Amino acid sequence: MSLVVMKFGGTSVEDPAAIGRTAAIVAGRVALGKQPVVVVSAMAKVTDQLLRAAAAAAEGDRAGALAISSRLRVRHRETTAALVKDSAALLDLIDQEFDSLDEILRGLAAILELTPRISDLIVSYGERLSSRIVAAAFSELGIDAAHVDAREVVITDSNFQKAVPRDALIEQRAQTKLLPLTAQSKVPVMGGFIASNEAGITTTLGRGGSDFTGALIGGALAAEAIEIWTDVDGILTADPRVCPDALRVKIISFEEAAELAYFGAKVLHPATILPAVKKNIPVLVLNSRNAACEGTRITSLAPHCKSPFKSIAVKKKLSIIDVVASRMLMTHGYMKEIFTVFDKHKCAVDMVSTSEVSVSLTVDSNDNLPALAADLGQLADVKYEGKKALICLVGDDIRGKNGMAAQVFNAVRHINVRMISQGASEINMSFMIDEDDADEAVRSLHAAFFQDPDPAIFDVEARRSN
Ligand code: ASP
Ligand code: MG
């Protein structure tokens, strides 16, 4: 049996039309003799709205929180009614779910304290509801679907909001809860992102965690492939809004894709990659609005490519912090002190570069920066500047190649570069510039490196037909 895990993101289940397209895609796989296991996100924007309702309730805005919930109730009910003919039972269930959500929001508005555990409980409604609706819609449309509560399969620790999966338990649960269904050729439909700890308390895998669920389930069932259905054609050589002649990357390694994900390419959650890599299961990124497109295939080994890079990613809204102290000269333990300050402010560092007397670090721009800078100021002279962007070029074929840096910086010689790093992974080169220069830098690099793309790796057909 060739089992495929098919994960559909929020935009693939955002309304009746999207759910209809998703059903057609799944039915197409079944027709090809595949056995799908389906993982769905919450309907688009629902997770954000649930978090807003939780925040409002925790600030005592009971009416505001309940108003958000009531709009969500209407949206889920209307979607159901549009897709399912005999919808009474499901509509009842949706009402029960929203009644219990409202109960929690009212309680929260009384106690005014939003704990990570309650946040996970509130946000879990998104996937709980979407998975029910999608399962019912599939059945209506002729797919033999069975809803599975993801919280009975994906078992994690109790690190709420970013729980760590317990692989062995997930494998066990997948075998006892999913395999009996697939053995009868039923299509299990479950929510992504949501999970529970061993005591059955709801947890989540962190924002964007549905991809992770897909990979965990794929790994647990030793699936033939994991398909991540989104609303783009796969991984591209650059952001097409910035670079209209960006090309689809047909095949890329896990390592390269992970690098891109860390640097802001929103296609995929980096952690997705791990459970799949461990078991050597290919991941496909596909477009539910353009199902005929073959997407991007992510495999454990990078195929050899004539162009040095596969893709250019950009991360904006960054700040650069320069820490300068002559004290640093010939002392040890200084870096540790600096990082302790970052740790205290829970500030994640993207890139670091040091010299004898200075350290430059890049971080996400956020409200903490003045406080962080003040604390660093106790150790050294500190300057920080916002509106920076990190440009990251990724490609396995730069490993051990001479002259790459020269080619890259020649392509952007008209742009002022503030900081440079070549990752230890040897497959990325990154540098920091002013945010205003970012689009121009991407276009120049794209023109320099994707002039004559390798047709084995890039979809050159699309460029010709455009
Ligand atoms: N619904 C969750 C989120 O928006 C998980 C996901 O869609 O991947 O973060
Ligand atoms: Mg996502």
Side-chain angles (χ1 to χ4, degrees):
M1 179 180 57
S2 56
L3 196 139
V4 283
V5 172
M6 305 177 75
K7 180 263 171 179
F8 293 88
T11 52
S12 303
V13 296
E14 66 186 345
D15 55 25
I19 296 174
R21 280 196 298 272
T22 292
I25 291 167
V26 172
R29 286 291 183 270
V30 174
L32 286 175
K34 309 256 180 208
Q35 169 62 57
V37 172
V38 173
V39 173
V40 294
S41 286
M43 295 172 72
K45 307 256 157 64
V46 169
T47 304
D48 288 337
Q49 284 159 5
L50 288 167
L51 288 172
R52 266 202 282 122
E59 280 164 16
D61 180 9
R62 184 167 175 267
L66 292 174
I68 295 174
S69 161
S70 135
R71 282 197 294 276
L72 287 174
R73 187 192 293 245
V74 171
R75 179 169 170 203
H76 285 86
R77 285 187 58 107
E78 284 179 357
T79 306
T80 301
L83 287 162
V84 183
K85 252 185 259 107
D86 289 324
S87 58
L90 182 54
L91 289 174
D92 269 355
L93 188 125
I94 291 174
D95 277 334
Q96 279 165 31
E97 290 282 69
F98 276 101
D99 290 346
S100 65
L101 172 63
D102 288 351
E103 188 98 356
I104 298 165
L105 292 172
R106 282 192 206 98
L108 187 54
I111 55 175
L112 304 174
E113 192 198 348
L114 181 57
T115 61
R117 173 171 161 172
I118 300 295
S119 176
D120 273 358
L121 179 61
I122 291 175
V123 88
S124 73
Y125 281 86
E127 271 76 6
R128 282 155 66 173
L129 291 156
S130 66
S131 57
R132 289 272 181 199
I133 297 173
V134 169
F138 279 11
S139 302
E140 189 80 22
L141 297 163
I143 299 167
D144 191 5
H147 178 262
V148 174
D149 190 331
R151 295 172 298 172
E152 291 176 8
V153 181
V154 184
I155 308 299
T156 64
D157 67 5
S158 300
N159 204 341
F160 295 101
Q161 295 183 315
K162 214 165 185 47
V164 178
R166 296 237 194 274
D167 293 343
L169 286 174
I170 296 172
E171 203 160 306
Q172 263 172 32
R173 298 287 184 103
Q175 269 151 25
T176 55
K177 305 263 172 195
L178 300 173
L179 288 188
L181 296 170
T182 56
Q184 300 170 58
S185 305
K186 288 188 184 301
V187 175
V189 177
M190 56 192 276
F193 175 58
I194 60 173
S196 78
N197 67 12
E198 277 176 77
I201 308 294
T202 300
T203 60
T204 66
L205 299 172
R207 288 308 304 270
S210 291
D211 296 345
F212 198 8
T213 304
L216 288 168
I217 299 297
L221 296 176
E224 169 193 89
I226 297 163
E227 300 181 348
I228 306 283
W229 289 86
T230 66
D231 54 3
V232 291
D233 279 345
I235 294 176
L236 304 181
T237 51
D239 181 344
R241 286 164 305 182
V242 172
C243 202
D245 58 352
L247 298 161
R248 175 169 58 89
V249 183
K250 292 203 266 191
I251 183 162
I252 194 167
S253 72
F254 283 117
E255 228 187 326
E256 291 166 331
E259 244 359 294
L260 287 171
Y262 283 117
F263 282 94
K266 294 253 163 41
V267 201
L268 197 80
H269 192 286
T272 304
I273 283 162
L274 284 173
V277 170
K278 278 197 225 147
K279 304 223 167 154
N280 224 338
I281 303 171
V283 175
L284 287 123
V285 179
L286 298 156
N287 187 354
S288 66
R289 292 172 203 233
N290 182 17
C293 174
E294 62 179 26
T296 298
R297 187 180 185 84
I298 306 174
T299 57
S300 47
L301 279 182
H304 179 69
C305 173
K306 276 186 270 165
S307 349
F309 299 110
K310 302 270 170 43
S311 181
I312 309 169
V314 181
K315 195 165 179 183
K316 290 188 178 171
K317 296 207 181 71
L318 297 178
S319 293
I320 185 167
I321 304 179
D322 293 315
V323 183
V324 183
S326 38
R327 228 192 87 195
M328 195 172 149
L329 200 62
M330 325 276 288
T331 58
H332 65 88
Y334 185 72
M335 282 293 200
K336 184 170 164 221
E337 286 178 53
I338 291 179
F339 278 104
T340 305
V341 177
F342 280 86
D343 189 42
K344 178 183 155 201
H345 291 271
K346 291 202 164 52
C347 198
V349 174
D350 278 312
M351 193 163 118
V352 186
S353 112
T354 68
S355 74
E356 278 299 344
V357 294
S358 74
V359 193
S360 297
L361 308 104
T362 72
V363 299
D364 280 354
S365 298
N366 60 46
D367 310 337
N368 287 339
L369 279 187
L372 175 92
D375 277 357
L376 286 172
Q378 312 274 315
L379 303 171
D381 294 331
V382 179
K383 271 190 309 191
Y384 64 96
E385 211 181 303
K387 293 205 73 192
K388 296 283 171 279
L390 199 55
I391 309 284
C392 169
L393 293 119
V394 171
D396 191 71
D397 294 279
I398 58 173
R399 248 190 254 259
K401 259 203 193 130
N402 296 336
M404 267 345 298
Q407 283 185 47
V408 168
F409 293 109
N410 186 42
V412 293
R413 62 188 176 282
H414 52 305
I415 289 168
N416 181 25
V417 174
R418 289 290 304 267
M419 214 172 134
I420 299 172
S421 131
Q422 176 154 9
S425 65
E426 288 181 48
I427 61 166
N428 98 59
M429 282 183 57
S430 323
F431 58 91
M432 169 153 286
I433 58 179
D434 283 336
E435 207 171 83
D436 292 339
D437 293 333
D439 291 357
E440 170 58 24
V442 170
R443 283 191 287 263
S444 304
L445 289 164
H446 202 273
F449 290 104
F450 297 94
Q451 193 70 262
D452 179 24
D454 183 343
I457 308 288
F458 304 101
D459 180 14
V460 291
E461 294 301 315
R463 182 183 279 182
R464 261 186 237 127
S465 61
N466 269 344

